[in-house]
Amino acid sequence: MGGTVTVTDGKVTAAAVLPVVMRGRLAVVAVLASLVVLLLGVRYAGDTGPGRTDARIGEAAYGVGAPWWHLAHATDFLGDPGGALLLLTAGVVGCLKARRTRAAVLLLVGPGLAVGVTRLLKPLAARTINGEDNLAFPSGHTAFLTAFALALALLAAGRSGLGPTSGTVLALAAASAAGALMGWAQVATGAHYPTDTVGGCCTALAVVPAVAWAVDRLADARHPHKG
């Protein structure tokens, strides 16, 4: 059950949001994801149109008909302020009812910070779509849903006591599925290029493990185990 507790200086403390057995692997994932965001940001900096890969994928995904169009818009709503608030409220309330304060903090701060990072990166990349005022890289909608799913997966892995391999697979599968779904919706509705959504997904993969680690460290520092 290594994922259900934290160990700080040899002392066992309360339930962790970043399972101990997964820390090393997710640290590697976070570093690699950061590199992807950096490389894509540099590659498409200042662009006002799609690259070759974007054009090929976008041609297949953009302008889908019903019922896929409605599904794309419904998914897009989950990344809007209203939809995001509904997801976050449901998650945080559930965690608080289960008396898992750390989990509530992760579900709130992880996705929020991931979106915040995309907003900081957009003017640096200065990539636009549908006009000069619409900064595109990386996708905040994709970052949000990926981060939310990843946070939930980390909590599930810790609660189930999964090992490093199974826990990491669960986390990456959940994050990838959410990122792919929102990414498809963003491309289908013409809001982003495909590579923007990859950047958003990788932003979440870089931010959420770091937030989870910080939440555990700060909580352990405030409430050290006694006895």
Side-chain angles (χ1 to χ4, degrees):
M1 298 293 289
T4 60
V5 297
T6 55
V7 180
T8 305
D9 297 330
K11 297 180 180 180
V12 178
T13 57
V17 291
L18 181 60
V20 177
V21 296
M22 295 169 57
R23 287 180 180 175
R25 299 189 181 199
L26 288 181
V28 174
V29 169
V31 171
L32 294 176
S34 299
L35 289 176
V36 171
V37 174
L38 176 61
L39 292 175
L40 289 177
V42 172
R43 166 63 180 83
Y44 295 105
D47 282 7
T48 58
R52 291 183 179 180
T53 302
D54 291 316
R56 292 175 180 175
I57 299 176
E59 184 178 355
Y62 178 68
V64 294
W68 301 110
W69 178 257
H70 301 298
L71 176 60
H73 274 276
T75 303
D76 176 71
F77 171 72
L78 297 178
D80 289 339
L85 182 60
L86 288 175
L87 287 180
L88 292 175
T89 300
V92 169
V93 169
C95 290
L96 292 179
K97 284 187 175 181
R99 298 183 179 180
R100 299 196 65 188
T101 304
R102 294 191 194 192
V105 173
L106 175 62
L107 282 179
L108 188 63
V109 177
L113 187 57
V115 173
V117 170
T118 66
R119 291 184 177 179
L120 291 175
L121 293 176
K122 283 183 177 180
L124 295 178
R127 189 188 197 189
T128 59
I129 186 172
N130 302 326
E132 296 182 355
D133 296 331
N134 296 317
L135 296 174
F137 182 89
S139 166
H141 278 61
T142 308
F144 170 77
L145 196 63
T146 302
F148 187 77
L150 177 55
L152 288 178
L154 290 179
L155 300 179
R159 191 172 185 84
S160 302
L162 298 180
T165 300
S166 55
T168 303
V169 169
L170 172 63
L172 294 182
S176 298
L181 176 61
M182 182 59 81
W184 165 77
Q186 295 306 295
V187 176
T189 57
H192 282 283
Y193 305 115
T195 45
D196 297 334
T197 68
V198 174
C201 182
C202 288
T203 299
L205 290 174
V207 170
V208 173
V211 171
W213 177 85
V215 168
D216 284 332
R217 295 294 296 183
L218 291 173
D220 291 346
R222 291 187 61 186
H223 304 289
H225 178 72
K226 298 180 180 180

